[in-house]
C-alpha cells in the first residue's frame, strides 16, 4: 500500500516536471493537485483520499498512462527555424519536437529540410548535429501546445 502511494507521488512529480507542466494534465492528477488549496485539515485529507482512489485503481489495472517528457525521436528533418535573441535559434522538426540551439557566431545555420541527428550529452545537455556536419549545443523545449 505504501509502495503504491510512493509510485503515485512519483507519477505526480514526473507529470509536473519540465515542459510537461504547460501541457494539459490528466483529470485524475488535477484532482490531487487541487487538494492542497483546502485549508481545513480534515477536508484536505478527505480530498486526497478521494482523489488518490482513481489513481490507485488506474495504476493497479495498468491504465495509468506514462507520458515521455523527452523528444519523440533522435533524428529527423528541420521543418522551421526562427532566431531567438542574440545567440539562439529555435528549430522545429517535422515530428513537432522543438529545440533551442546555442550559436557560437560563425556556424552554418540549419535550413528547412536539413537532416538532423540528436544525441544526449552530460546532465541535461543535448547535441544537435545537422547534415552530418555542424554540431550545436541544444535544449529540448517540447511539443507546441
Amino acid at each position: 500500500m505504501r509502495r503504491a502511494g510512493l509510485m503515485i507521488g512519483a507519477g505526480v512529480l514526473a507529470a509536473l516536471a519540465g515542459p510537461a507542466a504547460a501541457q494539459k494534465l490528466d483529470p485524475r492528477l488535477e484532482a490531487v493537485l487541487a487538494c492542497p488549496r483546502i485549508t481545513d485539515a480534515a477536508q484536505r485529507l478527505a480530498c486526497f483520499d478521494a482523489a488518490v482512489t482513481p489513481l490507485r485503481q488506474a495504476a493497479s489495472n495498468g491504465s495509468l498512462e506514462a507520458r515521455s517528457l523527452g523528444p519523440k525521436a533522435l533524428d529527423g528533418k528541420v521543418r522551421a527555424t526562427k532566431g531567438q535573441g542574440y545567440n539562439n535559434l529555435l528549430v522545429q522538426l517535422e515530428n513537432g519536437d522543438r529545440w533551442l540551439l546555442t550559436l557560437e557566431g560563425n556556424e552554418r545555420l540549419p535550413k528547412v529540410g536539413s537532416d538532423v541527428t540528436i544525441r544526449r550529452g552530460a546532465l541535461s545537455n543535448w547535441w544537435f548535429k545537422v547534415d552530418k556536419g555542424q554540431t550545436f549545443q541544444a535544449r529540448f523545449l517540447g511539443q507546441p501546445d
Side-chain angles (χ1 to χ4, degrees):
M1 176 117 158
R2 182 171 169 85
R3 176 179 258 170
L6 290 174
M7 289 174 56
I8 291 169
V12 169
L13 290 175
L16 293 177
Q23 296 176 0
K24 190 170 185 174
L25 292 176
D26 185 309
R28 297 170 292 196
L29 291 176
E30 287 177 351
V32 171
L33 296 173
C35 295
R37 291 186 222 130
I38 299 172
T39 55
D40 181 67
Q43 290 177 350
R44 186 171 51 252
L45 179 59
C47 176
F48 276 117
D49 287 343
V52 167
T53 300
L55 284 173
R56 186 174 288 129
Q57 290 170 347
S60 67
N61 69 21
S63 67
L64 188 61
E65 179 184 328
R67 288 191 289 194
S68 171
L69 301 178
K72 285 186 175 180
L74 296 180
D75 56 6
K77 287 195 177 288
V78 174
R79 175 190 294 166
T81 64
K82 180 182 177 187
Q84 292 285 89
Y86 172 68
N87 65 340
N88 292 308
L89 183 71
L90 179 65
V91 175
Q92 184 171 11
L93 302 182
E94 287 181 346
N95 67 7
D97 287 349
R98 294 179 306 144
W99 295 87
L100 187 64
L101 309 185
T102 301
L103 306 176
E104 298 293 326
N106 59 354
E107 304 93 349
R108 291 185 338 170
L109 299 180
K111 295 182 170 81
V112 173
S114 297
D115 291 317
V116 299
T117 303
I118 302 154
R119 65 181 169 85
R120 184 71 117 149
L123 301 175
S124 62
N125 190 25
W126 293 89
W127 294 102
F128 193 96
K129 190 172 190 175
V130 181
D131 289 329
K132 299 180 181 173
Q134 185 72 47
T135 301
F136 300 88
Q137 188 172 6
R139 184 167 47 114
F140 178 63
L141 300 177
Q143 295 281 317
D145 294 332

